[in-house]
Amino acid sequence: MAMVGLFWIAEGDVYVGAKPSGLAPGARLTPEGVMALGDGQEAFFPWEDVHALTAAGVPVKSLKRNVGAVGQTVKRNVGMLLDLALGVGLGTEEAPTMTLQVTDADGGDTELTVYTAAAIGYSQAEHDLSLELLTRLTEGAGTLHTTLAAMADWGRGNGGSTPRASDREALLRTWTES
């Protein structure tokens, strides 16, 4: 599994945000449409009914966010130590979420909750390129299938490791231009 921008690519599967497990919320992009996953938001949106895709509430890296992430890591580690020492669940904290908005041809919006895959947020470049890629996926069947196929092929051949930031940005640029 690998993170590239707002996308999590596991083998040939492409998700917006982190790949969900169990009842956790998420969204998978398939050649047929957008699949909402998780407790309370199970739905399917065929591509012919999807007019626009966008993401909101996306954490973008900043100095303040990086300092906050260090504080959260310390807090989480102290919580885990307390959990071990006291046998209680003080250190449990959910991962941050963002919203994937699916707009249909009539202008109706459905908001799907997805977990973010970046612990301290996404770079501004990855954020912007990912939003461009979401828009590109709604430009027509040819573009959609070519782009999703390229992302899935990369995922199958990648070996499951997340590339460095510059490589992630290059991949996103390639996919937005394919």
Side-chain angles (χ1 to χ4, degrees):
M1 296 190 283
M3 180 191 76
V4 180
L6 302 184
F7 305 94
W8 192 258
I9 304 170
E11 301 289 320
D13 296 332
V14 178
Y15 298 87
V16 177
K19 178 182 178 183
S21 63
L23 299 176
R28 181 174 168 220
L29 306 178
T30 72
E32 295 78 30
V34 178
M35 185 180 299
L37 304 167
D39 191 31
Q41 71 174 25
E42 298 91 359
F44 182 74
F45 306 90
W47 285 113
E48 55 269 9
D49 296 341
V50 177
H51 181 69
L53 287 175
T54 191
V58 179
V60 177
K61 286 182 186 177
S62 67
L63 179 58
K64 182 178 178 182
R65 181 173 292 282
N66 288 344
V67 170
V70 170
Q72 289 294 343
T73 301
V74 170
K75 181 180 172 184
R76 189 172 17 259
N77 289 341
V78 169
M80 287 186 333
L81 287 173
L82 286 172
D83 288 352
L84 289 172
L86 303 174
V88 296
L90 298 176
T92 58
E93 187 174 314
E94 285 198 30
T97 60
M98 59 186 175
T99 301
L100 177 65
Q101 185 171 314
V102 181
T103 304
D104 64 28
D106 296 327
D109 293 325
T110 302
E111 293 186 345
L112 305 176
T113 300
V114 299
Y115 284 111
T116 63
I120 59 172
Y122 301 92
S123 73
Q124 188 66 54
E126 283 186 275
H127 170 269
D128 295 347
L129 288 164
S130 294
L131 293 183
E132 185 178 334
L133 187 51
L134 285 171
T135 298
R136 184 159 176 73
L137 292 172
T138 62
E139 291 178 350
T143 301
L144 162 72
H145 293 294
T146 301
T147 304
L148 270 182
M151 294 172 80
D153 287 345
W154 177 85
R156 282 188 286 276
N158 173 50
S161 61
T162 296
R164 295 178 310 136
S166 60
D167 295 332
R168 293 191 307 265
E169 290 174 20
L171 280 167
L172 289 166
R173 281 189 186 87
T174 299
W175 295 334
T176 58
E177 296 166 0
S178 63

